[in-house]
Amino acid sequence: MAGAYNDRDGHIWMDGKMVDWREANIHILTHAMHYASSVFEGERAYNGKIFKSREHSERLKRSAQMVDFEIPYTVDELEAAKVEVLAASGLQDAYVRAIAWRGAGEDMGVASSRNPVRVAIAAWEWGAYYGDAKMKGAKLDISKWKRPSPETIPCHAKAAGLYMICTMSKHAAEAKGCSDAMMFDYRGYVAEATGANIFFVKDGEVHTPEPDCFLNGITRQTVVGMLRDQQITVHERHIMPEELEGFEQCWLTGTAAEVTPVGQIGDYNFEVGSLTRDVATRYEKLVRE
């Protein structure tokens, strides 16, 4: 499947039924388009099975509650819909996008309690998020934008509006020849990349930012569990920018990114070392079990 995302063959699940891909449209006065009242999940299927599917569905429901709306489907109904979508796609390995949003209705101001909540699920083929970075390591810029304080946003929701500064940061990074950007948080600590969590290695131990103001990714949690099962020390803590110079290895984690080595962040360089390669290999094996 290739081409513009609105002009493809296939079907998308919308509001309880499968519709033709090209007919999966919404009205221009949809509330989410104007006020970002939308939450979503990115998931991957391997060998016909969505990895950590139920955890993603549960998080979608929680995210909606954090931004003050209820998804009108149970977790079981969302799970059944994803199975239906994956079967209709004909794909064994696929990216799956579930999204819920406040639709068009009686309200068109900031408040929208009378508007219906709508849900859609689509699946498509999507290869490596960072291209050939899995071999040589991704190159990251350092964003001028910071992850905001939990007092200003529902930072643990996977909500569309929280990605605005991520889009801007990634565009700026790509203009410099980078794959992505690393962001600091509102206090100046290392936070994450625009769509992935970040890990560092020093003296055989792993260090990763404490997710107290950004999303604690499902892939991140999976990798932390894998490392601890191997008796590798993992420090979840606040990391200062000046510490970047002392780290030897670095990688990113996320559903789209999977486990991607990082070779450079700004002026700091990292080796694609044995631990990074081992984590990537183990993760690839785990998701296909």
Side-chain angles (χ1 to χ4, degrees):
M1 184 185 292
Y5 277 89
N6 66 332
D7 187 21
R8 299 186 175 196
D9 295 328
H11 293 83
I12 292 175
W13 187 93
M14 287 189 76
D15 303 319
K17 63 182 180 180
M18 300 293 287
V19 300
D20 182 84
W21 189 288
R22 294 178 179 84
E23 300 302 316
N25 300 315
I26 58 174
H27 195 272
I28 194 67
L29 294 182
T30 292
H31 191 271
M33 182 178 292
H34 298 257
Y35 298 102
S37 49
S38 170
V39 297
F40 69 97
E41 284 294 321
E43 312 174 37
R44 277 194 189 267
Y46 301 89
N47 297 332
K49 182 180 178 182
I50 300 172
F51 183 65
K52 303 273 186 176
S53 180
R54 194 171 189 88
E55 290 181 35
H56 282 285
S57 294
E58 291 169 345
R59 188 172 67 181
L60 185 71
K61 295 273 287 184
R62 289 197 304 273
S63 291
Q65 291 166 354
M66 289 181 204
V67 298
D68 200 32
F69 68 82
E70 287 288 338
I71 293 175
Y73 298 96
T74 66
V75 169
D76 286 341
E77 288 171 330
L78 293 171
E79 287 296 288
K82 286 191 282 186
V83 170
E84 187 178 359
V85 167
L86 194 58
S89 76
L91 298 170
Q92 289 293 299
D93 291 358
Y95 182 83
V96 179
R97 170 61 56 87
I99 183 167
W101 69 97
R102 290 191 183 275
E106 296 179 59
D107 293 325
M108 199 50 213
V110 172
S112 60
S113 60
R114 294 181 296 176
N115 290 13
V117 173
R118 305 191 57 191
V119 183
I121 303 170
W124 62 87
E125 191 172 9
W126 201 4
Y129 187 66
Y130 291 108
D132 63 358
K134 286 199 171 185
M135 300 297 294
K136 63 182 182 181
K139 180 181 179 182
L140 272 59
D141 186 27
I142 296 178
S143 175
K144 71 176 184 179
W145 299 100
K146 294 183 178 181
R147 299 310 301 166
S149 164
E151 296 177 333
T152 64
I153 57 168
C155 62
H156 298 298
K158 195 169 177 69
L162 305 185
Y163 284 80
M164 181 181 69
I165 57 174
C166 298
T167 298
M168 297 164 68
S169 298
K170 192 169 174 69
H171 286 175
E174 290 176 342
K176 297 178 182 179
C178 298
S179 300
D180 203 349
M182 187 191 74
M183 307 178 80
F184 296 126
D185 71 15
Y186 66 102
R187 298 160 298 192
Y189 298 133
V190 174
E192 59 177 349
T194 63
N197 293 123
I198 194 163
F199 290 75
F200 301 95
V201 179
K202 183 177 182 179
D203 299 329
E205 297 184 347
V206 175
H207 303 256
T208 187
E210 182 180 350
D212 56 359
C213 67
F214 55 87
L215 200 68
N216 183 8
I218 290 172
T219 308
R220 178 191 182 278
Q221 296 174 52
T222 300
V223 168
V224 168
M226 287 170 46
L227 290 165
R228 287 178 171 157
D229 286 345
Q230 295 174 255
Q231 306 302 308
I232 295 172
T233 300
V234 180
H235 303 278
E236 298 183 78
R237 63 179 182 85
H238 295 145
I239 297 173
M240 297 297 294
E242 54 266 28
E243 294 184 68
L244 294 174
E245 186 174 11
F247 291 129
E248 302 147 5
Q249 301 176 48
C250 177
W251 69 77
L252 303 175
T253 64
T255 294
E258 300 173 297
V259 176
T260 297
V262 173
Q264 183 178 352
I265 302 175
D267 295 328
Y268 304 103
N269 295 302
F270 308 92
E271 64 171 327
V272 182
S274 58
L275 181 53
T276 301
R277 292 194 299 269
D278 181 65
V279 170
T281 299
R282 287 177 180 272
Y283 182 79
E284 288 177 6
K285 181 180 179 181
L286 175 67
V287 297
R288 296 182 180 278
E289 287 182 349

